[in-house]
Amino acid sequence: MAGLRERKKEQTRQRIAAVALRLFAERGFEAVTVNEIAEAAEVAKATLFAYFPSKEALVLGGVAGDDLAGIAAGRPQGQPFLATLRAYFRGLAAAGVPEAELSVLVIRVRVIQDSPALRAAANALLYRQRDALAGALAGEYGQPAAGLIAAQVAASLLTVQESYFQRLLDGVSPADGGRLLARDVELAFDLLEHGISPLERE
C-alpha cells in the first residue's frame, strides 16, 4: 500500500512539473503564475508547494544535482579526487540522455536560458555546489587553495554542460552530442590535471 501511495505521489509530482514546463515554454517563466499552474494541473496551490518549494524549483530540478562534494569525500583512500570525478562524469557521458527525456531536456534548457530569474536561481545552486566541494577539499588542501580548486572544477564542468546543452538546442543528434560530450569531459579533466602548458607546447 505504501508503494502505491509513493507511485501516486510521484505521478502527481511529474504531472505538475510537466504542466508547468508546458506553460513556461508557451508564455515564458515570468508570465505564468503559480495559481495558473496549480489550476492547469488540477491541484491545490498548497499541494503544488508541498512538491515544489518555489516556482523556480518546478524547472530547476537536477541543476547542480551532481554531489561533487560527496563524490570527492567518499572516494577510495589514496585515489585523487579528480580521477574520481573524471570517472563519474565519464560514466554520465557514456550513459547519455534517454531518448524519451531528450525533448523535455531541450525545452527545460530553453526555458532557463530565456528567464533572468531562472538563470540567477541556477547560478545560486551552482555556487552552493562549488562551495560544498571547497569544504570537502579544505582538509586536504587548506584555504584558499581548496576554494580556488573547487572554482576551477565547477567552472570547467559548467562549461562542458553548457556546450552540450547548446548543441542539443542547435539540433545536433543525440549520438553526436554524446560523443562530443565525452570528448569534452576528457579534455576538461586533462586541463584540470595538467594545466594548459601541454597544449601550448603542441
Side-chain angles (χ1 to χ4, degrees):
M1 196 68 175
L4 178 60
R5 282 198 300 270
E6 290 304 313
R7 284 198 298 274
K8 287 186 175 180
K9 286 174 64 175
E10 181 57 26
Q11 288 171 355
T12 300
R13 186 182 187 284
Q14 291 179 2
R15 186 176 77 253
I16 294 170
V19 167
L21 188 61
R22 175 176 58 79
L23 292 174
F24 295 151
E26 290 172 355
R27 295 164 48 197
F29 178 78
E30 281 77 9
V32 179
T33 68
V34 172
N35 285 335
E36 288 173 325
I37 297 167
E39 183 178 348
E42 300 181 334
V43 298
K45 185 176 177 180
T47 300
L48 185 151
F49 280 123
Y51 286 95
F52 299 94
S54 67
K55 183 181 171 184
E56 288 79 9
L58 287 157
V59 185
L60 295 179
V63 173
D66 299 303
D67 185 8
L68 304 184
I71 295 168
R75 69 190 189 275
Q77 187 173 6
Q79 185 176 63
F81 88 93
L82 280 177
T84 306
L85 286 177
R86 184 196 287 261
Y88 173 80
F89 283 96
R90 183 183 281 162
L92 289 183
V97 178
E99 194 74 32
E101 299 175 16
L102 190 61
S103 61
V104 173
L105 175 61
V106 170
I107 294 170
R108 284 182 65 216
V109 170
R110 185 171 287 117
V111 167
I112 293 170
Q113 284 190 350
D114 289 345
S115 167
L118 284 174
R119 291 200 305 272
N123 286 337
L125 292 173
L126 292 164
Y127 178 83
R128 287 201 287 272
Q129 180 190 55
R130 188 188 82 188
D131 196 48
L133 178 59
L137 299 176
E140 185 174 354
Y141 295 98
Q143 291 291 3
L148 292 168
I149 293 168
Q152 292 178 60
V153 170
S156 295
L157 293 174
L158 177 60
T159 301
V160 168
Q161 291 168 352
E162 286 177 340
S163 296
Y164 174 64
F165 293 145
Q166 188 58 54
R167 291 184 189 114
L168 294 181
L169 290 174
D170 291 342
V172 172
S173 72
D176 286 342
R179 177 178 54 79
L180 293 170
L181 174 62
R183 180 204 64 185
D184 290 351
V185 165
E186 299 301 332
L187 176 58
F189 280 98
D190 284 346
L191 289 169
L192 287 167
E193 289 183 10
H194 308 297
I196 64 172
S197 295
L199 292 179
E200 291 177 333
R201 289 196 295 267
E202 289 179 359

